[in-house]
Amino acid sequence: EVQLQQSGAELVRSGASVKLSCTASGFNIKDYYMHWVKQRPEQGLEWIGWIDPENGDTEYDPKFQGKATMTADTSSNTAYLQLSSLTSEDTAVYYCKDGNYDYWGQGTTLTVSS
Amino acid sequence: DIVMTQSQKFMSTSVGDRVSITCKASQNVRTAVAWYQQKPGQSPKALIYLASNRHTGVPDRFTGSGSGTDFTLTINNVQSEDLADYFCLQHWNYPLTFGGGTKLEIK
């Protein structure tokens, strides 16, 4: 069974960085792109980008360049999303999803406090 | 960026009815459109890929259609468990972009 298990909720101070994780089971992440998506209640869904875990290639929405960094560890079958210089605009739920089965993780709630 | 417009933010329907949710692309995206269902408190679930193909396990009352700029998700014989938000996504061009969503309410 394909599953994506994301790391737990984060409460982080403004200006800090955070690294979210997404561990896959039921498939090998190096076989498919892994995507990250941001959801805020009034802004809907925003695609952040994808990573090819096999070679580390990435594609970002330009508006997340400099904010988000995607990495992957094929040995642990885990994809990561690092967000830097956090502000209140980064408060959201972040999802990972795979690029083949289109399964989504359960989401990680990030709250940035001032 | 390609803008995906779901003009109906809210739709209300009754159990057993048919409902059509629309999504309009700001430019031709061929059939590179997916549809997602997000129930309250849950993560999105993929329903349709490449405009008209149902994912495994999706009930056949869900049908996707369209190409170019106009796309429709039709739910036949609506059930109470279909209460959810529905989103379209284009993956023809980067950045991938979502529609703003349509909230389906069951009377």
Side-chain angles (χ1 to χ4, degrees), chain B residues 46-64 73-74 76:
Chain B
L47 297 176
I48 302 289
Y49 64 96
L50 293 175
S52 61
N53 298 275
R54 230 176 274 115
H55 275 277
T56 302
V58 174
D60 60 8
R61 65 177 183 275
F62 291 91
T63 302
L73 174 69
T74 299
N76 290 299

Side-chain angles (χ1 to χ4, degrees), chain B residues 14 18 20 36 49 72 93:
Chain B
S14 299
R18 173 193 296 174
S20 291
Y36 298 91
Y49 64 96
T72 302
N93 261 357

